[in-house]
Amino acid sequence: MKDSSNNSDNSTTLFQASHMMILVTMTVASIALGLEGILLNWEKWPMIPIFAAVAVSWTLHIHQTFNDRYRTVIHCTVLMGLLFYYGIHPTSTFDLSVTACIGIVLCTTTGVKKLIYFCVITFCISFGYNIVLILSETPELFDALMLSRIIYHPLIVFVVGWLGSVLIDLWTQLLDHSKHEVEQLTEATGRFNEFLTKVSHEIRTPVNAVLGLSSIAIEQAEDKEQLQNLREIQLAGKRVAEQISDILDYSEVDRQRFAMNIEDYMLASVLHDLVMEIKPYMKKGVEFIIDVDPSTPAMLRSDVAKLKKIIWHLTTNALKFTQEGGVYLRITSQPQGYGINLVFDITDTGEGMSDEESERIFDGYYQASNTYTRQAGGLGLGMSIVNGYVSALGGFLCVNSVKGEGTTVRVTIPQEVVDPSGCISVRDPGRLVIGAFLNFEKHFIPVVRDFYNRMVVNIVKGLNVQMHRVDSLENLIRLNSSIRMTHLFVGEDEYAQNIVAIEKLAENSNITVSVVASDRVVLPAGTRVHLMEKPFYCFPVAEVLNRVSTEEVTDKYMYCHGIRALVVDDEPLNLTVAKDILGRYDMSVTTASSGQEAIDICSKEAFDIVFMDHMMPGMDGIEAMRRIRSDVLGAWKSVPMVALTANAVSTARESFRIAGFDGFVAKPIDILELERVLRLVLPKTVVTFEDTPHSRKRNTNMRRRATDRVDDSAAAAREIDGAVKFGRRSTDRIIGALKAPATDPGALKTPAADPGAPLGTERSEDVFTPLRKLGVDVTQGLLYCQKDEEFYRSLLVQFASEAAEKRTNLEKFFTEKNLNDYSIIVHALKSTSKMIGASDLSAKAKALEEASKSGDFATVENGHKTVINEYTVLTDTILENYGEDDPGENEAPGQSTVATAQDRDALEFGPVDDEPLEFGPVNDDVLEFRPESEGRR
């Protein structure tokens, strides 16, 4: 027979309970022997080593000293000592067999046959000793009965020992067979996982191509039906991509082979990405509320990719299985010695689960409700992935669900703290007075109202600002008359029902008005109301509050006389723009085209402020900034460094601040934001305000005051005409009487239009018509150039003249699949094309930048040729029309585009009143809602 000692690991694994059984048995036996020894007057001294051996056995077991096999041998040796001590007394001769059988059974539970042999040998020695002693002292007792007993008792012990040995052999064979099957299943599972991984990767490549091509097609589509079909294709492609990702993640969890990627991250960035990815799952009638404790540290350290997956799966699960009500994501932190415990509570008002369903949700491929499975879709892997990733990050997960009421999932994950400052902050909260026209009573499920109330309270407390909430237009009117609000947040329904009043308030006051609405909402043309897409939560609110408000603007011209500024950017066009804009503040501007050049210049010259681009070849802006602060003279540590970059995502400002920058200005440069940063980082004594522009500026293109109205050259009259779409309200038509704007310099100096024709039709072409035909937003380009047409034309020529080198580099890096350098070039193209108003080309360059940064060559390959072609057509057009022309030779002098009275009548506008529109009750004389076929009377 096969010796079980060769399978000791399997045996000890199967019979782990034998340790405790042997310890308990020998403890009871030692106490019984002690009592019997006292009653029968046995030797007392052997009890001392017996009790000591029992105590040692318990100590070894409790402290898990030695391995299982050695401890088993020690325990059984002590047990055999007890058996021997009991058996050497003549009174125990024929009771010994029963005791030995008990010992054999205990040894059988260990799965080690040698211990059975040990027990049988111990019995034979003790039994033989007693028989010899009896026969030598009382031979008259030897008779037939004695002989039968001498034969019968050892035979019983031998049979029991043989049965125990056979049983161990059978168990060993079963273990070997089971082990072989487990190995086969494990191998099959491994091959299956590898197959899934390979298939997923193979499928992912064409799916990425579908997504990339559909994105490009969506940007080019003009037909509405075709556009909708393309969006459906893109949505289906995203679903496939998500399911492929789930398969790969589940395979990683199932094999317990986690590739941990620990890095610093910002909670604001994680939530921003989550909101962008989760929007397709948000549905009408289900509110998504995010509530963040403002004291949560701004920057943490963990595997941020797995953290995102955890939140994403839990949130999308909650949204999928919630048909009405809402989903509430609450994020808090608990300070610990190692950092914090980051806590996510996801509560929904869905159907909930029974206890049995709650226990099974972590099983792979299981979904709680077959009814909702068909509606929600998915592979049933989400919770298994969440559970695996939470365990991998050292956290724990708790599910509390009530059938018919909803589910709450709490995830707690330990995190290291990189930046302990709060994740949300606003500048100068004391100046902010916030109004909120948000009627939470419209939500008929009480818990949703409670979610919103808690979130608003936490925002107010965390940001330390004043907020006044009203639930009706009448109360808003009273609030506006009693306090001076700086910001107003309006709900989607509240805005739809009171649009005229809200538009008047935004038009005729310094209040920053933001409408919290879904992405289906389109605001009226020319509105001053801002759209804040749902969900309504702290980070977008803080971003709005941190924007420059009209209250910060002065009517005077701002100057920084004598300030020495260094601008660092690898893109010559950006350097030209920055030098011109900063020069208008009477600064002395020096430029550098790389981080190393900036370091060299700073080592030779002194500057009062440095503007640094982020993405540059070789040395990026953050490294250059740190090198300047650390390697150049110590005085440089106090020189303000401002990040001047096209990276304008909502979390960029905070990330650059943490990196060490003193300020942040997004490209293209916004004048109000630039002036705010200059006032913030420069000494107050060097910032002056004057009534007239400095004499060195061009008389014909003087920088405007910040409060001057930005005109719209695309139309001579502003309208709010059928542009508000609230789901089914897409047929609503809104016609208002508003003041026509002034003409746009440098835009439309054209021959007079036919007075009787509708404005904007049959006009002669202006000087920038070739660009407009290509979709270039000339008005926006002029705004970036401070309405300086001459400067704008020079930028166009410079943009086109640099194109040949950029295209060569793009083709080179594309051919070499050098995505790192490729991303830097398209990043620059994104910035410069947006600067001249080529927003479509800028958006496509941005898509290529994001794809190249993520290593997605398939998407780059799909979009590269389109971008190169559009880039070539645009630059050829610029060189052909503006390369050698005089800036004004194509303009017809003396012409203007100010709208005539007939023009305004043709637009179906009512009489124009130069008096400002008052904020007050709305009546039918001011604005009418009527079908599109009807005109204004």
Side-chain angles (χ1 to χ4, degrees), residues 33 50 76-86 122:
L33 279 178
I50 286 175
C76 288
T77 300
V78 175
L79 185 63
M80 295 308 106
L82 290 172
L83 179 63
F84 181 75
Y85 176 69
Y86 176 72
T122 302

Side-chain angles (χ1 to χ4, degrees), residues 1 50 157 188 233 304 336 356 381 407 418 485 565 580 637 651 677 686 713 727 729 795 811 841 849 852 860 870 888:
M1 288 184 295
I50 286 175
V157 172
I233 292 173
V304 66
Q336 303 291 335
E356 180 184 355
L381 302 177
T407 302
V418 178
M485 291 184 290
D580 183 89
K637 294 181 180 179
T651 57
V677 171
V686 302
S713 65
R729 298 188 181 92
L795 286 186
E811 294 287 6
L841 178 60
E849 178 192 4
S852 56
V860 173
E870 291 190 15

Side-chain angles (χ1 to χ4, degrees), residues 350-388:
E351 285 296 309
M353 296 178 290
S354 65
D355 293 340
E356 180 184 355
E357 290 171 337
S358 298
E359 292 175 359
R360 295 190 59 193
I361 58 173
F362 299 113
D363 297 339
Y365 311 104
Y366 176 76
Q367 290 181 312
S369 172
N370 291 328
T371 302
Y372 285 116
T373 296
R374 289 190 294 270
Q375 297 177 7
L379 302 175
L381 302 177
M383 292 305 294
S384 297
I385 295 171
V386 168
N387 193 35

Side-chain angles (χ1 to χ4, degrees), residues 563-611:
I563 289 295
R564 297 160 298 180
L566 173 65
V567 181
V568 187
D569 199 308
D570 64 307
E571 175 54 52
L573 189 62
N574 290 336
L575 292 176
T576 301
V577 173
K579 188 171 184 178
D580 183 89
I581 292 176
L582 295 176
R584 298 178 186 224
Y585 293 90
D586 200 27
M587 293 185 185
S588 174
V589 183
T590 302
T591 61
S593 59
S594 68
Q596 185 58 53
E597 184 182 355
I599 295 173
D600 296 339
I601 292 175
C602 290
S603 64
K604 300 173 183 177
E605 301 180 39
F607 294 95
D608 302 301
I609 188 170
V610 176
F611 294 90

Side-chain angles (χ1 to χ4, degrees), residues 613-648:
D613 184 30
H614 177 213
M615 286 189 64
M616 296 184 290
M619 183 187 300
D620 67 17
I622 294 177
E623 182 182 355
M625 177 270 297
R626 290 172 176 167
R627 290 273 300 276
I628 290 174
R629 290 197 189 278
S630 61
D631 296 350
V632 190
L633 297 178
W636 272 97
K637 294 181 180 179
S638 61
V639 173
M641 299 274 194
V642 177
L644 185 64
T645 176
N647 185 6

